[in-house]
Amino acid sequence: MKTASRVLGTAFFSCGFEVQDAPRYGAERRGAPTFAYVRASQKPIQERGVIRNPDLVIVGDDTLPAVPAAGVMHGVGAQTVMLIHSRDDADSWRHRLNLAGPVIVLPTNGDVAADTDLPFVGCVSAGAAARLTGVISREALMAAVAKELEPLGDRAVRENERRALAAYEDMEAHEGVVREARDIRAEEYEAPDWIHLAPEEAKISAPAIHAAATSEHVETGAWRTARPVVDEARCNRCWWICSTYCPESAIAVSPEGRPEIDYDHCKGCMICVAICPSHAIAAVPEEATPREELESR
Amino acid sequence: MSRELLTGNGAAAWGARLAEVDYVPAFPITPQTEIIETLANWFESGEMPGRLVTLESEHSMITAAGAAAATGVRVFTATSSQGLLYGMEMIFSVAGWRAPFVLVNVSRGLGTPTTLESDHTDVLAARDSGFLQLHCATCQEVVDTILMAYRIAEDTRIRLPVIVNLDGFYLSFTREPVELPDPALARRFLPPFDAQNLRFRASAPTSQGVAVLGGSPYSYFRYQAHLASLRAIEVYDEVADEFEAAFGRRHEAIEAYRCEDADILFVMIGSFATKAKAAVDQLREAGWRVGLARIRLLRPLPVDALRRVTSGARGLAVIDQNLSMGQGGVLHSEVASALYGHPKAPPILASFIGGLGGRDISPEELYEIAAETRKAIDEGRSPLPRLLFTRDELREIRKLQAIAEVERNELEVKR
């Protein structure tokens, strides 16, 4: 998404807009929720930080709306356009998230995105977004992809250009659907609900966690792009290797020596896949996991 | 002149490159690391002559920076937050060496609790060190200010190191349009460092940074550094004039935005001031007479300019993105000490603490700050200091505390 924001930012900029784009860093790890934002304006931009009321929200992974920390719905209002990469249709998302504004799903042909499409989500998003704004030309988009991906080499640039352009063409029916919201005016603002903090006892106000295992509440399993799956026939019941090497302690071993993976907390690092001496653990893309199984969790 | 999109960190690296620095002692820390990564790439590819060395800590890094500057070469370094504090012993020491260099600090709140996001408590801890201190509000200012900082630092009347501060996240990782100064113009504006008698040479022994006992010599040397710092107010203005003549951009020690007829002024430092500018425009449209005084040069504090800029106002709303525990906002007390007893000082001085640990400040909050200040003007009494903190935020804290089992009674029982 950082790539998407830079491509979109550069494209806006070359079309004569003032631009501000930034990724938001937190847990720097593949699969962890992350986001980036772009502002564009005909005037110099004085606003800063995370966009409070976005005109367009792009979701690159449809497991994110269910993750509170991802903040997908933050500031989404009646005017906000939602562009989401998903195999579910727009009506489902409109209903599921109670969205009042336009909802657009990628890919538009209803095909399930293949695993090999994943690295291109950024440029596909940027290409689609460019058309949705209605103010970015094909040429500006192509030049922006080439500029931002140049360090990755010609092949990566060409493939990303192709996909960004396809997404741009795909969005023809929605050209210009994104509208610039009004600034919040000083005549009619809603006053912040400030409070004066009262002093509290140190046992309350010290930053300490007294409960054990609070990380159980956070289902980091949603970060996975692929899951390790144990082949019972090949597993030789060594009882310790995968479970010891698992950095998340997400593999327990049953009394019979059978590894049991806690998919709520396995982040999909695949260390177990690499370390298993009998090659009994395979990496299966999350998209290949049956939907019912995901929903039953 | 063409512009390009650069992050604040990228702009900082360009500042060092255009200053043609000879030596960069480095140590990584979020959110600063991108600066030294960018410089390392340029040194590696030969685009920048000179040398980058990674040290084993910020303490060593700042020592190396001061020591290299004391040999008469141009030095650049960068750090943030805990790193600045880890090097704090040497921050005070090297300033006393009177060896000029530029240190970029990318502001980040201090532990505890730990955070990665921005506030100014880190850089303000260096306030009394002897380093001059310049605060940027945009990525453009970052590159411009680094060039200006070398001119001021290396001025023979000053010869003190300078901290150039930019805010983590809000500038460090944010791309904005930046016009890079032309290298030839930059070289003309900032010629090679003339170190005068600041040198270490073979067969020419020098003792720098000596020990003194008895108090009198100590007083002399310390006060001389203080006087040099104060002189930087006039030197800053000279350098700002020259910078404007060379590049067409004016960076005042105190930026006064729509202050002329203002009743109420926001007083701030750093990148959140651009938000305040937008709020000033909106409030003006709604018929309020509001302005912004943004302090760029914090050390030395340009007291006369601050008095001049604020003299017509009836109330000041100081917004501190820092916290001096047991006292409050640092900028608030700086402004109070600068204005106290001055006949034209605004009668109302209100203190707002906001933006700690990267907490955003919304337009509505800026409007409300103006409203509270106006109410205080009408009542003739400065309000109590206020933390920008909402009921919803407290509710969120209560949720976290419940998970952490902070205030549950059974916690006591279990033990």
Side-chain angles (χ1 to χ4, degrees):
Chain A
M1 279 297 130
K2 178 181 175 181
T3 305
S5 75
R6 290 180 82 119
V7 169
L8 191 59
T10 296
F12 266 123
F13 188 57
S14 70
C15 291
F17 284 81
E18 294 295 312
V19 167
Q20 193 187 79
D21 64 52
R24 194 67 170 184
Y25 294 118
E28 282 124 332
R29 190 198 172 284
R30 184 177 173 174
T34 181
F35 68 95
Y37 55 87
V38 182
R39 288 188 170 88
S41 173
Q42 301 284 7
K43 295 176 295 183
I45 298 170
Q46 309 285 13
E47 188 45 52
R48 287 194 178 281
V50 177
I51 294 173
R52 305 176 68 80
N53 299 105
D55 301 316
L56 168 65
V57 172
I58 303 168
V59 184
D61 172 347
D62 72 354
T63 63
L64 290 176
V67 179
V72 166
M73 295 300 291
H74 183 79
V76 169
Q79 289 228 353
T80 311
V81 178
M82 178 77 75
L83 176 70
I84 185 163
H85 292 257
S86 177
R87 54 175 136 180
D88 297 338
D89 62 18
D91 276 341
S92 304
W93 284 108
R94 195 172 289 118
H95 176 70
R96 222 174 268 167
L97 301 176
N98 193 26
L99 296 167
V103 182
I104 303 163
V105 167
L106 281 173
T108 48
N109 57 11
D111 283 352
V112 174
D115 200 39
T116 50
D117 292 338
L118 201 61
F120 304 101
V121 160
C123 280
V124 167
S125 299
R131 193 65 178 269
L132 297 181
T133 65
V135 295
I136 295 174
S137 65
R138 283 175 189 80
E139 297 69 35
L141 174 66
M142 291 298 98
V145 172
K147 183 163 198 288
E148 295 302 331
L149 277 86
E150 191 217 321
L152 300 181
D154 279 351
R155 232 181 100 195
V157 168
R158 279 197 306 275
E159 186 58 18
N160 276 283
E161 280 179 337
R162 187 177 72 75
R163 292 181 186 244
L165 189 62
Y168 187 92
E169 302 303 350
D170 245 9
M171 289 296 116
E172 187 181 2
H174 305 288
E175 178 163 17
V177 68
V178 176
R179 295 293 162 84
E180 203 175 336
R182 277 197 324 162
D183 291 331
I184 298 159
R185 296 167 60 84
E187 283 140 340
E188 49 183 23
Y189 71 96
E190 192 180 328
D193 192 11
W194 286 335
I195 52 168
H196 279 290
L197 271 188
E200 297 181 320
E201 292 288 310
K203 67 176 179 179
I204 292 172
S205 58
I209 298 173
H210 300 281
T214 50
S215 51
E216 278 177 17
H217 295 286
V218 184
E219 297 198 347
T220 45
W223 296 11
R224 272 194 317 271
T225 52
R227 57 169 50 198
V229 176
V230 180
D231 179 347
E232 296 288 339
R234 295 189 80 115
C235 173
N236 68 6
R237 314 279 185 266
C238 76
W239 71 265
W240 68 276
I241 295 180
C242 58
S243 61
T244 304
Y245 277 90
C246 175
E248 297 296 324
S249 301
I251 306 180
V253 182
S254 73
E256 299 78 46
R258 202 183 304 276
E260 289 167 354
I261 299 175
D262 169 8
Y263 288 112
D264 286 344
H265 297 97
C266 161
K267 293 173 180 168
C269 69
M270 301 302 155
I271 286 173
C272 56
V273 174
I275 210 78
C276 176
S278 54
H279 309 297
I281 311 179
V284 179
E286 277 301 315
E287 289 294 330
T289 309
R291 191 76 184 177
E292 310 77 63
E293 195 183 310
L294 290 176
E295 274 161 9
S296 70
R297 290 201 326 187
Chain B
M1 278 283 174
S2 74
R3 302 190 305 162
E4 58 186 287
L5 293 175
L6 280 180
T7 61
N9 283 344
W14 267 106
R17 177 166 167 171
L18 289 167
E20 299 184 333
V21 301
D22 302 299
Y23 178 62
V24 179
F27 193 84
I29 182 170
T30 299
Q32 168 277 127
T33 306
E34 187 187 358
I35 298 174
I36 59 169
E37 278 175 358
T38 307
L39 290 171
N41 282 334
W42 288 336
F43 282 119
E44 172 82 5
S45 68
E47 285 168 277
M48 249 182 109
R51 188 111 191 219
L52 180 142
V53 176
T54 49
L55 278 296
E56 82 282 6
S57 75
E58 288 86 355
H59 190 280
S60 304
M61 179 188 90
I62 291 161
T63 311
T71 69
V73 301
R74 187 170 282 159
V75 178
F76 175 86
T77 189
T79 189
S80 178
S81 188
Q82 310 296 139
L84 183 71
L85 261 69
Y86 192 62
M88 194 56 82
E89 181 191 4
M90 295 316 295
I91 288 283
F92 277 71
S93 289
V94 300
W97 297 355
R98 304 295 298 274
F101 65 94
V102 172
L103 181 153
V104 163
N105 183 68
V106 183
S107 265
R108 161 180 156 189
L110 296 169
T112 302
T114 303
T115 184
L116 299 176
E117 296 177 71
S118 179
D119 75 36
H120 299 145
T121 309
D122 61 347
V123 65
L124 291 174
R127 184 188 63 170
D128 304 333
S129 64
F131 271 72
L132 310 185
Q133 211 173 103
L134 289 157
H135 288 258
C136 302
T138 65
C139 296
Q140 180 71 62
E141 263 184 47
V142 172
V143 60
D144 292 354
T145 304
I146 289 169
L147 293 176
M148 292 174 69
Y150 277 105
R151 279 289 307 272
I152 300 163
E154 293 170 1
D155 191 287
T156 55
R157 293 164 286 181
I158 313 294
R159 244 173 61 178
L160 284 168
V162 179
I163 291 175
V164 174
N165 192 75
L166 61 126
D167 295 344
F169 289 78
Y170 289 90
L171 289 181
S172 71
F173 301 142
T174 302
R175 290 201 313 174
E176 292 182 330
V178 173
E179 183 180 318
L180 284 177
D182 173 71
L185 283 179
R187 198 171 301 129
R188 201 175 312 153
F189 171 76
L190 177 64
F193 178 26
D194 174 10
Q196 294 187 315
N197 65 346
L198 192 61
R199 60 174 178 258
F200 276 112
R201 295 287 182 274
S203 308
T206 312
S207 290
Q208 294 189 21
V210 297
V212 292
L213 291 176
S216 297
Y218 184 85
S219 305
Y220 170 81
F221 290 119
R222 297 294 289 177
Y223 211 77
Q224 279 295 328
H226 167 62
L227 292 172
S229 178
L230 288 178
R231 269 186 114 173
I233 295 171
E234 109 191 46
V235 173
Y236 179 95
D237 288 340
E238 293 170 18
V239 171
D241 288 343
E242 283 189 48
F243 190 91
E244 186 183 17
F247 303 105
R249 288 186 295 277
R250 177 87 193 170
H251 300 297
E252 298 282 2
I254 297 179
E255 183 191 22
Y257 183 71
R258 304 185 81 170
C259 287
E260 310 75 39
D261 62 337
D263 290 331
I264 298 167
L265 296 184
F266 297 122
V267 183
M268 328 170 55
I269 55 178
S271 66
F272 275 21
T274 67
K275 291 164 170 283
K277 265 190 187 176
V280 164
D281 291 343
Q282 289 289 342
L283 285 159
R284 287 261 173 188
E285 260 181 51
W288 295 54
R289 295 203 296 197
V290 179
L292 162 73
R294 176 173 66 93
I295 298 175
R296 253 174 60 77
L297 180 61
L298 190 79
R299 278 294 178 274
L301 186 67
V303 170
D304 290 337
L306 188 61
R307 287 177 177 169
R308 203 166 48 242
V309 167
T310 57
S311 64
R314 297 164 67 199
L316 302 182
V318 183
I319 305 174
D320 270 287
Q321 205 179 345
N322 66 77
L323 186 56
S324 169
M325 297 201 189
Q327 160 60 19
V330 172
L331 192 57
H332 179 256
S333 50
E334 292 270 319
V335 170
S337 77
L339 300 185
Y340 184 81
H342 181 60
K344 288 184 179 164
I348 298 300
L349 184 62
S351 172
F352 297 87
I353 310 285
L356 298 183
R359 183 206 184 267
D360 207 354
I361 301 180
S362 69
E364 294 94 324
E365 290 189 308
L366 290 162
Y367 305 154
E368 193 66 10
I369 286 169
E372 282 207 353
T373 308
R374 182 152 81 174
K375 187 159 158 265
I377 291 169
D378 293 344
E379 290 172 356
R381 198 172 52 191
S382 294
L384 288 173
R386 177 185 280 291
L387 173 72
L388 305 188
F389 198 79
T390 64
R391 200 173 305 279
D392 271 353
E393 287 177 280
L394 185 61
R395 208 168 285 144
E396 191 64 31
I397 295 290
R398 293 298 184 230
K399 261 167 69 179
L400 295 173
Q401 286 176 324
I403 294 167
E405 291 191 1
V406 166
E407 89 284 33
R408 288 187 194 168
N409 290 331
E410 59 260 37
L411 191 67
E412 310 281 303
V413 177
K414 260 191 257 169
R415 284 181 182 162

